[in-house]
Amino acid sequence: MSKRDVKERIQDFLEVDEGISENNAVLEATRCMECVRPNCVKGCPVNIDIPGFISAVAEKNFRKAADIIKSDNMLPAICGRVCPQENQCEGKCVLGVKEKPVRIGALERFVADWERKNGIQKPDIAKPTGKRVAVVGSGPAGITAAAELARSGHSVTIFESLHAPGGVLTYGIPSFRLPKEIVKAEIDEVLSLGVELKLNHIVGRSIPVDDLLSYDAVFLGTGAGLPSFMGIEGENLNGVYSANEFLTRVNLMHADSFPDYDTPVLRGGKVAVVGGGNVAMDSARVARRMGAEVFLIYRRREEDLPAREAEIANAVEEGINFYCCANPTRIIGGPAVTGIECVKMNMKSPDESGRPQPVPIEGEEAKFIIEADVVIEAIGQSPNPLLISLIDALKKGERGNVIVDENGMTSIPHVFAGGDIATGAATVIEAMGTAKKATAAINEILK
Amino acid sequence: MAYKVEKASEIAENIFEYWINAPHVSKNAQAGQFVVIRIDEKGERIPLTISAAKGDLVRIVFMGVGKTTKYLSTLKSGDYVLDIAGPLGHPSEIKKWGNCVLIGGGVGIACLPILAKALKSAGNHVTGIIGSRNEKLLLLEDELKEDCDELVICTDDGSKGFHGFPADILKKKLEETNIDCVWIIGPAIMMKITSMATIPSKTKTFVSLNPIMVDGTGMCGSCRVTIGGETKFACVDGPEFDAHLVDWDELMSRQRIYPAQEKESLENFQEHQCRCGEHHHE
């Protein structure tokens, strides 16, 4: 894997990681032990036959490798780039015990990129079943569900509320981590299976709930789009953004190219980002690329940062300043932000997530102020309430999620849900995993 | 997929009425809801209140103020906008209130017809009060005369109708008769000042808030407003709220997050328009 030079890459939004060469891919593939009971497969939320595709790479049969991956995962170029492999496949690789695990993510990406360059092969599609299925949302869950359902021969319509498909892949993850032409190519591939995509359609508003429920089956993949705010003083000052807003303005609306594009964003001289996940890293690195000095505030220790390892390393390289064990107490200014007051945190015994519980240190000396003209809150999102609040018969959980059984079935028998709307905010690949389960169950009820 | 502007016309000075072909919006539109429009690939998403809906067509009315609305105003009948999403937001609370007063200020007048029709159908007595700076900026009078049981016209300069503000008429009405519910739709400062009139009598008063939005579906939080001390998203929790609970100063401050950018964008657009104009003459 070669990464672009820091000085160069913080000037643009082109991809940081340039991937591995064919030679290195083959070499890396030969490291695989081809375990009889491969742990890596268990670590993969969509259970890709990892040793199978890697052995095809080792044989330089990249077409075969692509076919193997795509029988389980229609979006490999995306997953190869954004999966937290260290917690999934690579985290389970036996080679990781003594040396470095096989770089499964890099290999997946290599295969997907190879296929895109050398011609994508259309998968087999079953005979038309005559059944109509509605998919709500075109993020990772919706796209996966649509692909699986179309391959099973159903007539699939995706409804997307925004003007572009992809959900978080489009509005959330920046192009330096996931180039938009790759998202487009993988979505186009799904659409080429005969899936109909209706943009600008807000289900529950543009499509009445009764119309939605009249489909033979429904898959809800509306995601966790509702941004959380900390609930501290000064949050509505001008210059305070949710990460969703900041990233949407740049990734979806191209505010980085203002005024060529019409949507503005405050670039900020000094930007404070609150949070420690992938979304926080993305926000920090976007702000950096627009010329700001960036401070990232995280309430636990550096080793507890939940973001993907590679992105933390990239953020550090790109000059993001980390304030760990600190938590904002108020945002200062009026009407525009001038700073953010924080308190230092002490780590107490682990909570139920296994991470240490951060507790504010008492006394004025534990407080400090970071000067900032933009504050971005990346402290999580909860399930999108718009549609599910309009479907009365749908059982909802305390966290605003849709309650589903192990097959993704909701309290309405022909309505299924997957991705963040069912699980709460999780990763792209987990969303795809739950979508795949749900589509298998949909196929069962449509038999 | 783009959406055709079937009929574009300037109905008052610098105020435009477009009927856009968007069945997914028009067939489901209710009073109080809005659409988000994006003109072209480089365009921003702007919210506009639905003024009427008929068959496959939805009507929007806007004033050419910033780059986007000025650019939108250059479209002619038969042109297209790239995206129109909606209907968005909660519909107005339509029920039998009794005596309703609907107040429109400036381009906000355009929001009243669909609301007046719905309230009338629900059995209410509807009084419309519309106000603008002068006669040239008045709009939809004839239509509103039909939709309302009574229509009062005001101008700030007295060039037509009552010489003064809708708030003056509202105060008089509140003294004369029993009013059950009031809607006030217009610029934030006008809504703030006009809604003060109903505080003493505690008359139920709705306002339609117009903060800056991006997606319009509750995903970004750009449109957050403080209502009774609580943060709400105008796009999904509103856009209509109880006027007496709104933090008006915060709303007006948050409407002015991007003055420099708005100026730059508009100047760029106007400069470009001039250049194109020159080119055209050659």
Side-chain angles (χ1 to χ4, degrees):
Chain A
M1 175 176 52
S2 66
K3 273 201 272 186
R4 291 172 58 227
D5 181 68
V6 174
K7 278 196 198 108
E8 181 194 298
R9 75 188 197 226
I10 60 166
Q11 309 289 330
D12 64 41
F13 282 78
L14 301 175
E15 193 165 19
V16 167
D17 181 342
E18 295 179 306
I20 54 176
S21 66
E22 183 176 318
N23 282 342
N24 285 342
V26 173
L27 215 64
E28 182 68 17
T30 57
R31 292 183 59 227
C32 177
M33 305 286 287
E34 297 185 39
C35 306
V36 184
R37 284 189 206 85
N39 287 333
C40 53
V41 179
K42 281 187 222 149
C44 173
V46 297
N47 306 118
I48 294 172
D49 174 8
I50 293 166
F53 98 76
I54 290 182
S55 111
V57 173
E59 293 160 15
K60 293 196 185 178
N61 191 344
F62 306 128
R63 176 70 67 192
K64 184 178 165 196
D67 290 345
I68 293 172
I69 296 176
K70 282 167 74 178
S71 66
D72 291 305
N73 177 2
M74 277 295 285
L75 311 173
I78 294 170
C79 293
R81 288 172 166 84
V82 304
C83 269
Q85 286 97 0
E86 68 265 25
N87 305 326
Q88 297 174 344
C89 52
E90 293 181 18
K92 297 272 163 79
C93 176
V94 289
L95 288 183
V97 180
K98 286 197 173 154
E99 39 174 324
K100 283 192 170 164
V102 176
R103 288 165 51 206
I104 302 166
L107 290 174
E108 180 184 30
R109 170 182 163 172
F110 167 77
V111 170
D113 289 354
W114 180 92
E115 195 200 20
R116 207 172 51 257
K117 278 185 209 109
N118 290 278
I120 284 169
Q121 222 158 27
K122 236 173 145 174
D124 296 333
I125 301 177
K127 269 194 217 131
T129 60
K131 304 284 186 185
R132 294 161 67 237
V133 186
V135 171
V136 188
S138 66
I143 286 290
T144 303
E148 299 285 332
L149 292 163
R151 276 159 81 168
S152 307
H154 309 307
S155 159
V156 181
T157 304
I158 305 179
F159 297 103
E160 166 59 49
S161 65
L162 289 174
H163 58 259
V168 73
L169 305 171
T170 299
Y171 73 75
I173 303 177
S175 52
F176 54 78
R177 195 149 81 81
L178 180 62
K180 296 306 151 211
E181 58 271 20
I182 283 166
V183 177
K184 187 179 181 308
E186 299 218 324
I187 290 174
D188 284 348
E189 200 184 333
V190 173
L191 297 180
S192 77
L193 304 175
V195 171
E196 185 189 17
L197 171 65
K198 288 194 174 246
L199 300 173
N200 297 315
H201 279 62
I202 298 95
V203 177
R205 297 276 185 224
S206 321
I207 302 289
V209 167
D210 287 347
D211 290 7
L212 177 73
L213 298 180
S214 74
Y215 280 79
D216 296 309
V218 175
F219 176 81
L220 303 176
T222 50
L226 182 73
S228 307
F229 286 91
M230 287 179 288
I232 60 173
E233 188 189 323
E235 266 181 325
N236 289 351
L237 290 173
N238 294 349
V240 181
Y241 289 110
S242 72
N244 263 13
E245 179 182 357
F246 184 74
L247 292 172
T248 298
R249 281 181 180 273
V250 177
N251 298 335
L252 178 71
M253 306 307 299
H254 306 286
D256 56 302
S257 301
F258 178 89
D260 186 27
Y261 281 74
D262 293 337
T263 303
V265 70
L266 298 174
R267 286 164 173 259
K270 289 185 175 178
V271 173
V273 176
V274 184
N278 286 319
V279 178
M281 298 303 147
D282 286 345
S283 304
R285 296 171 66 201
V286 165
R288 183 83 183 106
R289 278 162 174 75
M290 290 194 298
E293 191 182 350
V294 184
F295 304 88
L296 188 138
I297 303 161
Y298 177 57
R299 60 197 184 129
R300 294 192 174 92
R301 301 164 305 175
E302 199 167 331
E303 58 264 43
D304 301 316
L305 284 165
R308 213 170 162 253
E309 268 171 25
E311 309 313 338
I312 298 169
N314 285 334
V316 171
E317 282 171 18
E318 288 166 12
I320 309 297
N321 305 289
F322 284 69
Y323 281 94
C324 289
C325 300
N327 205 30
T329 45
R330 68 188 170 105
I331 299 169
I332 304 160
V337 172
T338 56
I340 181 165
E341 184 194 72
C342 302
V343 59
K344 291 179 188 159
M345 307 291 274
N346 238 340
M347 297 302 121
K348 290 277 159 67
S349 51
D351 60 12
E352 58 286 326
S353 74
R355 294 178 298 179
Q357 236 175 335
V359 181
I361 299 173
E362 279 176 35
E364 282 305 305
E365 59 278 13
K367 285 185 179 165
F368 64 100
I369 289 171
I370 301 173
E371 268 179 48
D373 42 20
V374 167
V375 170
I376 302 167
E377 297 192 18
I379 56 159
Q381 297 91 234
S382 38
N384 228 328
L386 201 155
L387 170 59
I388 62 170
S389 66
L390 293 170
I391 309 178
D392 294 331
L394 214 53
K395 250 194 211 146
K396 292 134 213 157
E398 276 173 20
R399 294 167 302 136
N401 56 313
V402 174
I403 293 183
V404 292
D405 69 9
E406 67 280 6
N407 296 315
M409 189 190 281
T410 68
S411 51
I412 305 173
H414 74 299
V415 178
F416 292 73
D420 289 359
I421 191 69
T423 58
T427 63
V428 168
I429 190 75
E430 283 165 317
M432 292 170 59
T434 56
K436 265 187 73 177
K437 253 193 200 155
T439 51
I442 290 173
N443 281 335
E444 279 303 310
I445 67 155
L446 292 183
K447 261 183 191 161
Chain B
M1 164 111 201
Y3 304 85
K4 192 172 179 185
V5 180
E6 298 286 356
K7 191 164 167 272
S9 39
E10 185 170 0
I11 55 169
E13 191 177 77
N14 195 29
I15 296 175
F16 303 85
E17 174 195 81
Y18 284 13
W19 287 92
I20 301 176
N21 195 316
H24 66 298
V25 180
S26 66
K27 294 211 187 312
N28 302 292
Q30 296 176 63
Q33 294 185 302
F34 63 98
V35 294
V36 164
I37 285 184
R38 192 175 70 128
I39 305 172
D40 63 17
E41 207 45 57
K42 293 185 174 179
E44 61 182 335
R45 295 168 62 95
I46 59 158
L48 291 165
T49 306
I50 295 168
S51 170
K54 206 174 180 183
D56 289 347
L57 307 182
V58 59
R59 179 173 73 183
I60 53 158
V61 176
F62 61 94
M63 185 183 261
V65 184
K67 187 230 156 141
T68 299
T69 47
K70 279 205 190 294
Y71 178 29
L72 189 60
S73 75
T74 64
L75 300 190
K76 306 273 179 287
S77 303
D79 287 344
Y80 289 81
V81 292
L82 190 54
D83 299 292
I84 175 165
L88 293 159
H90 284 295
S92 306
E93 200 177 322
I94 304 296
K95 62 174 188 184
K96 187 159 182 190
W97 294 90
N99 235 343
C100 297
V101 174
L102 312 188
I103 301 175
V107 74
I109 296 169
C111 308
L112 301 189
I114 191 170
L115 180 59
K117 279 193 188 78
L119 287 168
K120 277 267 279 197
S121 317
N124 293 286
H125 181 273
V126 178
T127 303
I129 308 173
I130 60 174
S132 62
R133 284 209 311 278
N134 59 54
E135 188 184 2
K136 286 181 192 161
L137 295 168
L138 279 171
L139 49 138
L140 304 176
E141 295 159 62
D142 293 342
E143 194 177 325
L144 280 166
K145 268 183 200 147
E146 296 252 316
D147 295 334
C148 302
D149 294 295
E150 184 196 351
L151 183 70
V152 183
I153 294 166
C154 319
T155 50
D156 300 0
D157 67 353
S159 52
K160 187 162 187 182
F162 172 76
H163 186 170
F165 300 110
D168 305 328
I169 304 288
L170 175 63
K171 279 179 206 153
K172 225 173 81 199
K173 295 262 173 209
L174 284 163
E175 282 163 20
E176 287 168 3
T177 52
N178 180 48
I179 294 169
D180 300 292
C181 195
V182 176
W183 267 266
I184 306 169
I185 306 174
I189 184 72
M190 171 266 182
M191 292 193 282
K192 174 186 176 176
I193 288 167
T194 312
S195 64
M196 284 175 176
T198 56
I199 293 174
S201 57
K202 293 186 179 144
T203 308
K204 182 80 180 169
T205 304
F206 290 107
V207 283
S208 179
L209 302 189
N210 48 356
I212 297 170
M213 292 185 187
V214 184
D215 63 281
T217 65
M219 272 180 34
C220 81
S222 167
C223 65
R224 55 199 193 276
V225 288
T226 302
I227 308 294
E230 249 184 89
T231 295
K232 299 277 182 193
F233 290 3
C235 68
V236 287
D237 299 322
E240 293 187 356
F241 293 100
D242 183 334
H244 302 149
L245 299 177
V246 175
D247 183 338
W248 292 104
D249 294 340
E250 182 187 271
L251 172 72
M252 286 186 273
S253 163
R254 287 190 61 79
Q255 286 175 332
R256 288 190 300 265
I257 298 177
Y258 305 102
Q261 288 87 344
E262 282 162 10
K263 186 163 170 268
E264 185 184 356
S265 187
L266 181 59
E267 283 171 358
N268 253 20
F269 173 67
Q270 282 168 334
E271 194 184 312
H272 180 76
Q273 258 194 329
C274 289
R275 274 203 312 266
C276 289
E278 279 162 29
H279 188 74
H280 192 74
H281 290 301
E282 277 163 15

